[in-house]
Amino acid sequence: MANFAYKARGAGGQLIEGVLEGASSGAVADVLLGQGAVPVEIRETTAVAKAGQGVSLNFNIFKPKVTHIDLLLFSRQMHTLMKAGVPILRALNGLQDSAINPAMKEVIGDIREGLEGGRELSVAIARHPKVFSPFYVSMVRVGEATGLLEEVFLRLFEHLEFERFMREQVKSALRYPMFVILAMVVAIIVINLFVIPAFAKVFAGFGAELPLMTKILLGTSQFFVDWWPYMLVAAIGGIFAFRAWVGTVAGRYQWEAIALRFPIAGKILHKAALARFARSFALGARSGVPVMQALSNSAQTVDNSYIAKRIDEMRETVERGESVLRSAIHTKIFTPVVLQMVAIGEESGALDDMMEEIGQMYQREVEYELKTLGAQIEPILIVALGVMVLILALGVFLPMWDLGKVAFKR
């Protein structure tokens, strides 16, 4: 998320200035419109949003936050209560009383007070951009305009459930290779700090010329023994530097672009992001959201700033009068099969149905990739472990083999 400085005109024509956090200027514009303000100027800035401007500075790290599960339950319960004919204010009052998370209780209370003060529901929830995304606000606004608010909350629940499923699947996909890589790194450190130095004392008593591989192992081990405190500090500093870099807009964009090129894991991340985009676009289009706004909103759901920027560029191309197909081709993030489905959807006027099919197709592919992840990674791990064992065997046992031959000749 980036910070954007904005100037807007309020309902009374007064000039409003501030800073909001969002994935794009279009997302910030949606939040301002949801609050009843007309954007005049929006530009990216390095300033931090102040409390009261939609993004609060929370210095209490122990204060509970609204989680994805809280939002999921809120959407489902709102649908259930509205379907039962319960008025919105009564529904919100009941949800506030039953909320377990104090942060969510506070948010629901503020929304209820906003409705009591005469605000629309979409405007009231737009006051909490950390909790409700621009996509969520836009969907609620469409539900208010069409009188289908009950159905919109059900669709939002299904969308949030799908997002949670995809995130958990991707995390589970990355957990195994990261654990194996970490175990290999730990093994290398232990071998160089404890195992090889023990053999070095034995080799020192040979008084003979050691093989090249053994010299390399001993030199590497000696480097670890002499410099491990500095290496530890450098590793910790590197982690903090990486987190600070990824915390910037440019750093996150570059890292997430690089992550998409990772072997095996990259294609899973790519397909998962496009599955979220396709499903959210289909949901918005079916609910009556205009194409450009649906593209802007769905860019907030992909959870990858590189793909989000490509989708935002896709929206800009559509604004200039190009078709969705030509703008999708320009992004270079979709496969030919997907582009063909988009073309059929545009020609038949059923783009939302085709995007839903695309989302389901990507979801099935992600699930398949996750099921076969072990089989894909196993050969790489076997080769890596084999190389490690070979190096250790050559470095450790070659001198002993040479010593044995000399002793046998005597």
Side-chain angles (χ1 to χ4, degrees):
M1 289 287 194
N3 292 318
F4 292 87
Y6 67 85
K7 293 181 181 179
R9 293 288 178 184
Q14 71 277 18
L15 182 64
I16 304 171
E17 296 183 74
V19 178
L20 277 176
E21 186 182 43
S24 66
S25 57
V28 173
D30 285 340
V31 173
L32 292 173
L33 290 170
Q35 295 176 350
V38 179
V40 176
E41 179 186 358
I42 299 176
R43 56 183 175 79
E44 190 171 340
T45 180
T46 55
V48 179
K50 298 179 181 179
Q53 292 180 347
V55 180
S56 62
L57 288 174
N58 185 6
F59 293 102
N60 186 2
I61 60 175
F62 300 106
K63 184 177 180 180
K65 297 181 180 180
V66 177
T67 65
H68 191 84
I69 297 296
D70 292 324
L71 192 57
L72 193 71
L73 292 174
F74 172 79
S75 304
R76 183 66 182 183
Q77 290 168 342
M78 283 295 293
H79 163 72
T80 303
L81 292 171
M82 293 183 70
K83 185 178 180 180
V86 179
I88 294 180
L89 280 173
R90 276 186 57 194
L92 289 172
N93 189 54
L95 291 179
Q96 183 182 6
D97 293 338
S98 62
I100 299 176
N101 188 338
M104 191 65 192
K105 186 188 292 285
E106 183 180 341
V107 169
I108 296 174
D110 185 75
I111 294 172
R112 182 178 55 80
E113 291 175 4
L115 289 178
E116 290 174 346
R119 294 191 183 97
E120 295 180 341
L121 180 60
S122 58
V123 176
I125 67 174
R127 290 164 53 86
H128 301 276
K130 282 285 189 182
V131 178
F132 301 97
S133 66
F135 175 78
Y136 198 105
V137 174
S138 298
M139 289 296 298
V140 172
R141 188 181 300 121
V142 169
E144 289 175 327
T146 58
L148 301 173
L149 195 56
E150 169 194 326
E151 184 179 348
V152 163
F153 273 116
L154 177 60
R155 291 180 179 179
L156 284 170
F157 166 77
E158 293 172 347
H159 174 74
L160 291 170
E161 179 68 20
F162 168 75
E163 273 195 335
R164 185 173 72 92
F165 168 77
M166 293 301 295
R167 283 200 181 99
E168 289 179 352
Q169 291 286 357
V170 171
K171 285 180 180 178
S172 66
L174 299 178
R175 190 176 296 122
Y176 175 66
M178 291 301 294
F179 174 78
V180 172
I181 292 172
L182 180 62
M184 291 178 66
V185 170
V186 171
I188 291 172
I189 293 173
V190 171
I191 288 171
N192 279 284
L193 289 180
F194 302 103
V195 178
I196 296 179
F199 281 98
K201 296 177 182 178
V202 176
F203 297 153
F206 286 178
E209 183 70 17
L210 296 175
L212 176 61
M213 187 61 68
T214 306
K215 290 180 179 179
I216 293 174
L217 279 179
L218 293 178
T220 305
S221 175
Q222 191 62 43
F223 178 82
F224 269 79
V225 171
D226 293 340
W227 293 88
W228 73 263
Y230 305 100
M231 294 173 67
L232 179 62
V233 172
I236 295 173
I239 292 172
F240 280 102
F242 174 76
R243 290 175 64 89
W245 175 61
V246 174
T248 64
V249 176
R252 183 184 177 191
Y253 175 84
Q254 293 171 7
W255 167 246
E256 291 182 343
I258 294 171
L260 294 176
R261 300 188 183 96
F262 286 168
I264 302 175
K267 61 182 179 181
I268 296 177
L269 295 174
H270 187 204
K271 291 176 181 179
L274 292 182
R276 286 193 289 266
F277 158 70
R279 290 285 294 267
S280 60
F281 180 87
L283 176 58
R286 285 179 175 176
S287 302
V289 178
V291 172
M292 287 179 291
Q293 188 177 350
L295 287 170
S296 178
N297 291 340
S298 57
Q300 319 300 318
T301 67
V302 297
D303 203 22
N304 184 288
S305 56
Y306 176 81
I307 293 179
K309 185 175 181 180
R310 293 294 172 269
I311 295 172
D312 204 44
E313 291 173 356
M314 185 176 169
R315 176 187 59 80
E316 293 172 358
T317 306
V318 172
E319 283 181 344
R320 292 196 295 266
E322 295 286 354
S323 64
V324 175
L325 174 62
R326 292 182 64 86
S327 61
I329 294 172
H330 181 71
T331 61
K332 299 179 180 180
I333 59 175
F334 298 100
T335 62
V337 175
V338 172
L339 294 174
Q340 186 177 2
M341 294 175 71
V342 171
I344 294 172
E346 270 197 305
E347 291 176 4
S348 62
L351 185 58
D352 54 345
D353 292 333
M354 279 299 170
M355 293 301 284
E356 180 68 25
E357 288 289 333
I358 292 170
Q360 293 177 2
M361 182 186 71
Y362 274 129
Q363 181 179 348
R364 288 192 295 269
E365 289 186 9
V366 169
E367 291 175 0
Y368 174 78
E369 294 285 353
L370 294 174
K371 289 178 182 178
T372 60
L373 181 64
Q376 296 180 63
I377 292 178
E378 190 173 333
I380 300 174
L381 297 180
I382 291 174
V383 171
L385 290 173
V387 170
M388 284 181 57
V389 172
L390 179 62
I391 293 173
L392 287 172
L394 291 175
V396 172
F397 294 112
L398 272 180
M400 295 183 177
W401 179 259
D402 292 342
L403 182 63
K405 288 193 297 184
V406 172
F408 181 78
K409 290 177 181 180
R410 290 179 182 177

